[in-house]
Amino acid sequence: GLVLGLEGTAWNLSAALFGEDLVALHSSPYVPPKGGIHPREAAQHHASVMKEVVSRVLTEPERIKAVAFSQGPGLGPSLRTVATAARALSIALDVPLVGVNHCVAHVEIGRWATGFSDPIVLYASGANTQVLGYLNGRYRIFGETLDIGLGNALDKFARSHDLPHPGGPVIETLARQGNYIEFPYTVKGMDLAFSGLVSAAQESSAPLEDVCFSLQETAFAMCVEVTERALAHAGKNEVLLVGGVGANGRLQEMLQVMCEDRGASFAVPERTYLGDNGAMIAYTGKIMLEHGVVLPLEESQIRPGYRADEVEVVWRTEPGE
Ligand code: ATP
Ligand code: FE2
């Protein structure tokens, strides 16, 4: 059977069908005309393209066994639009609903795409920056940002210099021409903070290339430090990078070097599965369905603050169990 997955926690409305493999995937990104993402406008975008996006993947409705949707975390208006469509589809197709945690879905599609079994995961996207790992039936959050996500930090800096959105790829290109200058480095225990770093970068009078390079070096070194400590503490030997910022070649290189030093393996999924995508929701929905995890309609309210460690990962068993 197939599972239909709907993702739309933030900027990308995306639908996919997953069977033994990915069967279909179609996305419609919302590109803000100017500045950052406005929650209501993103939700309006999702509503206006919903029919087109869903119908593109709805090729074999009779084979669909469940409708999975991203229940949270994310922007309230976007989540509501997606949940409403998912409920309607589950009723129309007469199949169960599966509520998927967006962060857990990033991890699961990353494991599927790379073949890693038990990695420490650096999940670095716009709104989220977390270091996760599986322990006793849940994805534990070993460390995370205390203020803004790494992608939003990069986007915020880019906006302040009138660079196009999203800022991450633009900063990566400029950074290739840059030299190192010192910026505030903030790791508190296993947690991170980016806003002081972004302010310092915004206020710097150094050449833009140098600021971009140093912003990246500092922010990425903070993430690598926490990832390395989680790897050592948890005694694991794989590091998986997921989330939109995972596309950054310099971040990949820094993690690769750290893993080589520790005799660990490093992997990053291909682009399709890195940023927000419907495939990760369809795939995670499928493994949840196979383990009997379905969501009654009356419990299908959105969960804007849904954390990865709230999910009982019943589809994984302890190593050696
Ligand atoms: P989430 O809901 O998980 O927080 P998201 O809505 O932020 O996800 P993603 O697709 O995971 O969406 O990530 C988008 C972010 O990735 C943007 O902030 C963007 O600047 C950043 N990004 C994309 N490419 C690069 C790159 N090459 N280098 C650095 N950052 C990048
Ligand atoms: Fe995401």
Side-chain angles (χ1 to χ4, degrees), residues 102 106 123 125 276 280:
H102 177 90
H106 271 294
Y123 165 36
S125 63
D276 293 351
M280 70 188 202

Side-chain angles (χ1 to χ4, degrees), residues 10-11 102 106 123 125-128 151 154-155 166 168-169 172 244-245 248 275-276:
W11 58 276
H102 177 90
H106 271 294
Y123 165 36
S125 63
N128 295 287
L154 298 171
D155 296 342
E172 180 174 17
V245 185
N248 190 289
D276 293 351

Side-chain angles (χ1 to χ4, degrees), residues 64-68 86 89-90 93-98 289 293-295:
I64 293 172
K65 297 285 178 271
V67 176
L89 283 161
S90 121
L93 296 168
D94 193 24
V95 294
L97 205 53
V98 182
L289 179 74
V293 187
V294 295
L295 191 66

Side-chain angles (χ1 to χ4, degrees), residues 21-84:
D21 202 339
L22 180 65
V23 174
L25 173 65
H26 188 71
S27 301
S28 173
Y30 164 68
V31 185
K34 196 169 165 285
I37 292 174
H38 296 275
R40 246 184 316 109
E41 286 169 18
Q44 270 158 17
H45 163 266
H46 290 1
S48 67
V49 298
M50 185 68 72
K51 186 178 174 209
E52 198 229 322
V53 169
V54 171
S55 56
R56 286 275 203 113
V57 304
L58 212 59
T59 46
E60 303 170 88
E62 64 291 337
R63 289 183 60 208
I64 293 172
K65 297 285 178 271
V67 176
F69 72 106
S70 49
Q71 205 177 359
L75 306 171
S78 294
L79 290 171
R80 261 191 295 280
T81 303
V82 170
T84 304

